[in-house]
Amino acid sequence: MKNSVSAPLYENDIKAGLLNHLRNLKLLSKDATIINEFTVSNYERRVDIAIFQKNTSTAYEVKSDYDTLHRLDGQLNTYLEYFDKVVVVTTRKHIAKVLKQCPMGVAVWEINNNKIIIKQRGKKLIKKQNKKLLEMLTARELSKLCTMLNIPKEDYTRAHFEHLLMDAPLSTLKNAALHFISIRYEKSSSHFWNKVKNKIIEPNDIDYLSPYKQERAIIMKNERKSQKFWAGLASNLGLSAEDPYLAALYNSEGPEIFGPVPTDITKLLNA
């Protein structure tokens, strides 16, 4: 009998397998907030999958068959400063090297044939620096936290908010970080679960975790409506490049009531 060889896995293949694994084992609570590519350390690092639930934050770093490991050490050192748990999920191609690179506190999981195998168990790291928790919040969220804690604000800069909150109890800042991050990504996380609640999570479903996917869909829908309007206007009214009214409308500096002029109409006017 021939040995079966698994097809090379891309990043979204692994992310889908990871989330299916967590869901099947009921390791995700109903109020779990899932974030695809969550940035930390002043946008210098991007966590592949971040999950916030039950007062715990977990960073999942994915290494696909098409990735290299040259940034892994720096990524793990950074994630350990921000998250309670850190897990590396990788393929058979990288597993041996990943196990050598990862400290004992970091969990290592291998994915093979859509199954997750735990190669190294990590541990929960409770104590974090106040500064790192504050860095995970936006300036507006920091301002709201100051208000919630009845801390007077003399300035409205991020640096001022961080200074005011630096000596707050660690547990207060951790709860605040989980609270505000969950609110910030609630829409995209809920949208994702609504799309996959009755089916196996596929690689393409990971796009639903983008907080801007719905906004982009609305923009594209409006653009299609605009293109349809201009195409109908040109066709139904028989407008040409010499039409002075169309030219005046096109060259108007006022607001674009009907959206941007499509490329084909622009070429006609500039002919």
Side-chain angles (χ1 to χ4, degrees), residues 83-99:
F83 290 85
D84 300 317
K85 296 180 180 179
V86 178
V87 181
V88 178
V89 188
T90 190
T91 63
R92 181 175 296 178
K93 174 182 177 180
H94 295 305
I95 192 65
K97 291 183 179 179
V98 167
L99 285 168

Side-chain angles (χ1 to χ4, degrees), residues 163-195:
H163 174 73
L164 294 175
L165 294 165
M166 193 63 70
D167 295 326
L170 180 66
S171 60
T172 298
L173 296 184
K174 182 177 180 180
N175 290 335
L178 291 169
H179 169 73
F180 283 116
I181 291 172
S182 295
I183 291 177
R184 195 193 317 163
Y185 291 94
E186 179 182 12
K187 188 175 181 180
S188 57
S189 189
S190 297
H191 181 62
F192 169 77
W193 284 122
N194 287 334
K195 290 292 186 180

Side-chain angles (χ1 to χ4, degrees), residues 15 19 33-37 48-49 185 188-193 204-213:
K15 288 179 178 179
L19 295 177
T33 299
I34 303 175
I35 305 168
N36 184 39
E37 299 187 348
D48 288 316
I49 292 288
Y185 291 94
S188 57
S189 189
S190 297
H191 181 62
F192 169 77
W193 284 122
N204 290 340
D205 294 325
I206 301 302
D207 289 341
Y208 291 120
L209 285 171
S210 169
Y212 308 109
K213 182 177 179 64

Side-chain angles (χ1 to χ4, degrees), residues 9-211:
L9 295 177
Y10 290 91
E11 181 176 301
N12 277 6
D13 296 326
I14 299 176
K15 288 179 178 179
L18 165 66
L19 295 177
N20 279 317
H21 170 78
L22 295 175
R23 182 172 65 173
N24 292 340
L25 294 183
K26 301 186 184 305
L27 297 177
L28 291 173
S29 62
K30 293 182 179 180
D31 60 347
T33 299
I34 303 175
I35 305 168
N36 184 39
E37 299 187 348
F38 180 74
T39 55
V40 294
S41 189
N42 197 28
Y43 297 94
E44 292 180 359
R45 299 291 187 188
R46 183 178 299 151
V47 180
D48 288 316
I49 292 288
I51 297 180
F52 296 83
Q53 64 173 339
K54 296 181 179 179
N55 202 35
T56 300
S57 59
T58 306
Y60 292 90
E61 176 60 27
V62 170
K63 292 300 180 186
S64 75
D65 286 315
Y66 299 95
D67 288 328
T68 64
L69 303 180
H70 72 276
R71 294 187 301 129
L72 183 59
D73 290 340
Q75 290 171 323
L76 296 181
N77 289 335
T78 299
Y79 301 161
L80 288 168
E81 294 180 338
Y82 291 88
F83 290 85
D84 300 317
K85 296 180 180 179
V86 178
V87 181
V88 178
V89 188
T90 190
T91 63
R92 181 175 296 178
K93 174 182 177 180
H94 295 305
I95 192 65
K97 291 183 179 179
V98 167
L99 285 168
K100 290 181 179 180
Q101 285 188 237
C102 287
M104 293 305 297
V106 174
V108 179
W109 296 359
E110 179 186 344
I111 184 168
N112 188 22
N113 292 325
N114 290 321
K115 293 183 179 180
I116 297 287
I117 305 170
I118 299 177
K119 292 293 188 176
Q120 175 172 296
R121 296 187 180 276
K123 61 181 181 180
K124 187 174 182 179
L125 307 172
I126 302 297
K127 187 167 180 57
K128 299 295 170 192
Q129 296 180 14
N130 285 16
K131 184 176 185 299
K132 299 303 180 182
L133 292 171
L134 294 174
E135 287 179 2
M136 298 175 79
L137 301 179
T138 66
R140 178 172 293 186
E141 291 165 350
L142 293 174
S143 177
K144 289 182 179 179
L145 181 56
C146 287
T147 300
M148 292 168 61
L149 297 178
N150 296 316
I151 299 177
K153 293 173 283 189
E154 299 176 359
D155 193 359
Y156 288 88
T157 63
R158 180 185 183 89
H160 180 63
F161 298 147
E162 289 186 351
H163 174 73
L164 294 175
L165 294 165
M166 193 63 70
D167 295 326
L170 180 66
S171 60
T172 298
L173 296 184
K174 182 177 180 180
N175 290 335
L178 291 169
H179 169 73
F180 283 116
I181 291 172
S182 295
I183 291 177
R184 195 193 317 163
Y185 291 94
E186 179 182 12
K187 188 175 181 180
S188 57
S189 189
S190 297
H191 181 62
F192 169 77
W193 284 122
N194 287 334
K195 290 292 186 180
V196 303
K197 60 182 178 182
N198 295 320
K199 73 182 194 72
I200 295 175
I201 300 170
E202 303 288 347
N204 290 340
D205 294 325
I206 301 302
D207 289 341
Y208 291 120
L209 285 171
S210 169

